[in-house]
Amino acid sequence: MISNFFSKTKPANQAVVIGILVLGYWLVWATVNGIAGLKANLLWILLGNIGLVVSVLGISQIVKFNKLTGTNSFAIFFFILLLFWFNAVFLNIKEIYAALFLMFSLGRIITLLSQKNKKEKVFEAALWLFMAVIIDPWTILFVVPLYLAISQFWNNEMRLWFMPFAAFFTLALIVFAIAINTESVTTLLEHFSLQFGFGLFQAVPYGLILYLLFCVLLALFVFGKIGYRRQGKTLRLRVVLGYLFTAILLIALPVEGFAPKILYTFFPMSIVLTNYTNSIRKPRFKELFLWTVVILGIVFLCLTLLQ
């Protein structure tokens, strides 16, 4: 039943996913903060809601345009399930928008395989990336898969290697001009200071560690399936896997505040999960897998609502 419904890319699929997402989002906020908290933070909560809805629509367009998963809606299906698995991320509005900007960056960079507007695509991808860096300085690590993508698609185009610098200086001039005018340069510099410490392994959140291990194993399985052929979809999926592994590393490195960063894995992981689902040939096993992840999402959401 689930596989049949999400095997299509109709607007009804997006409408159902967005409806479930909005319902779950507001339920979590109401449970954690109460009605008084909803009223006090209404604008902030609405911004987070808009960010997640745009994320769903963006994933649907990126996946469809770049043919990353086939003609189905499983990517947005898995995206909201991951949100329900780790529904505490609903409360982290800044990370929601940082993840949204990273998604836009990844969406632009995987279109590099086309011959058209290569410099503009790299510039836009870098610009979206550095906008995420303004929100969360740790996302600067995603410069690595950005350059790996450039080397993979157009290694001999040296001009493309300088475009991220142009995007960086463009945004840096604007940010520092605002900081100087508002006399907040010190605060800005403190915001961009990074403290390494592998806090993930000191706090030992077993659920998060198991999820990251699951991400690595499933990504390696999918990578083994797609092989080493230098074809369009294969090259694009390599970039997606590069972003996923960077997101996992980003979660492990900080001293604290690593839990909300799990949101950065959801977009690439939804693509990995979709490709894994597509590889399941027997309909009975596919349906069983889909129902398992749905039930887990419902259980985790209910545990939050009943606390």
Side-chain angles (χ1 to χ4, degrees):
M1 185 174 69
I2 297 177
S3 58
N4 289 334
F5 182 77
F6 285 100
S7 62
K8 305 175 182 66
T9 55
K10 294 182 178 179
N13 301 95
Q14 296 181 8
V16 169
V17 167
I18 290 172
I20 295 172
L21 171 62
V22 171
L23 178 62
Y25 176 81
W26 284 93
L27 282 174
V28 170
W29 266 99
T31 302
V32 175
N33 294 281
I35 302 301
L38 283 179
K39 293 179 179 179
N41 300 285
L42 186 58
L43 181 59
W44 193 240
I45 299 170
L46 281 171
L47 283 174
N49 195 356
I50 293 170
L52 289 173
V53 170
V54 173
S55 297
V56 170
L57 296 174
I59 290 171
S60 183
Q61 286 298 111
I62 292 170
V63 167
K64 181 179 179 181
F65 181 78
N66 294 287
K67 301 177 181 178
L68 295 172
T69 60
T71 56
N72 57 61
S73 302
F74 285 125
I76 57 175
F77 166 78
F78 284 117
F79 181 73
I80 67 159
L81 281 178
L82 290 171
L83 287 170
F84 281 9
W85 282 13
F86 301 96
N87 49 73
V89 298
F90 284 145
L91 307 176
N92 302 107
I93 310 300
K94 290 192 294 184
E95 280 76 11
I96 287 174
Y97 276 89
L100 177 63
F101 295 153
L102 288 174
M103 182 194 73
F104 287 152
S105 175
L106 176 56
R108 292 306 291 160
I109 201 64
I110 57 181
T111 62
L112 261 182
L113 201 60
S114 168
Q115 294 277 355
K116 298 178 180 179
N117 304 321
K118 291 176 289 185
K119 291 188 295 182
E120 290 81 357
K121 289 174 181 177
V122 174
F123 182 84
E124 290 173 18
L127 198 63
W128 284 118
L129 169 58
F130 292 128
M131 287 175 66
V133 172
I134 293 174
I135 299 173
D136 182 359
W138 280 100
T139 56
I140 191 66
L141 293 178
F142 285 96
V143 167
V144 176
L146 173 64
Y147 273 105
L148 288 176
I150 295 173
S151 65
Q152 180 172 247
F153 292 135
W154 302 102
N155 189 32
N156 58 342
E157 293 273 355
M158 292 305 299
R159 290 177 299 175
L160 299 182
W161 290 77
F162 294 102
M163 296 311 297
F165 289 98
F168 171 78
F169 286 115
T170 299
L171 206 56
L173 287 173
I174 296 172
V175 171
F176 274 98
I178 295 172
I180 292 170
N181 286 328
T182 57
E183 299 181 352
S184 55
V185 175
T186 303
T187 304
L188 182 66
L189 294 176
E190 289 175 355
H191 172 68
F192 284 110
S193 63
L194 303 178
Q195 294 183 349
F196 295 83
F198 294 96
L200 174 67
F201 302 104
Q202 296 175 22
V204 195
Y206 293 107
L208 180 55
I209 291 175
L210 284 174
Y211 165 73
L212 296 180
L213 182 61
F214 170 71
C215 289
V216 172
L217 294 176
L218 194 63
L220 291 175
F221 175 81
V222 171
F223 186 80
K225 282 280 187 180
I226 64 176
Y228 296 92
R229 295 168 296 177
R230 293 188 62 83
Q231 297 178 353
K233 181 179 177 181
T234 303
L235 291 174
R236 293 187 181 106
L237 285 177
R238 286 184 193 174
V239 176
V240 171
L241 293 176
Y243 268 71
L244 175 61
F245 289 131
T246 303
I248 293 171
L249 179 64
L250 188 149
I251 295 169
L253 286 178
V255 174
E256 57 185 3
F258 50 82
K261 302 181 192 304
I262 193 174
L263 190 56
Y264 305 151
T265 68
F266 289 177
F267 173 46
M269 193 58 193
S270 65
I271 296 174
V272 171
L273 281 165
T274 302
N275 280 278
Y276 171 73
T277 303
N278 292 338
S279 71
I280 303 175
R281 299 303 178 189
K282 294 186 177 181
R284 184 184 304 175
F285 291 150
K286 180 181 290 188
E287 199 71 24
L288 178 62
F289 172 70
L290 294 174
W291 274 110
T292 300
V293 294
V294 167
I295 291 170
L296 284 173
I298 294 172
V299 169
F300 293 149
L301 181 62
C302 289
L303 288 174
T304 299
L305 298 179
L306 294 175
Q307 285 180 354

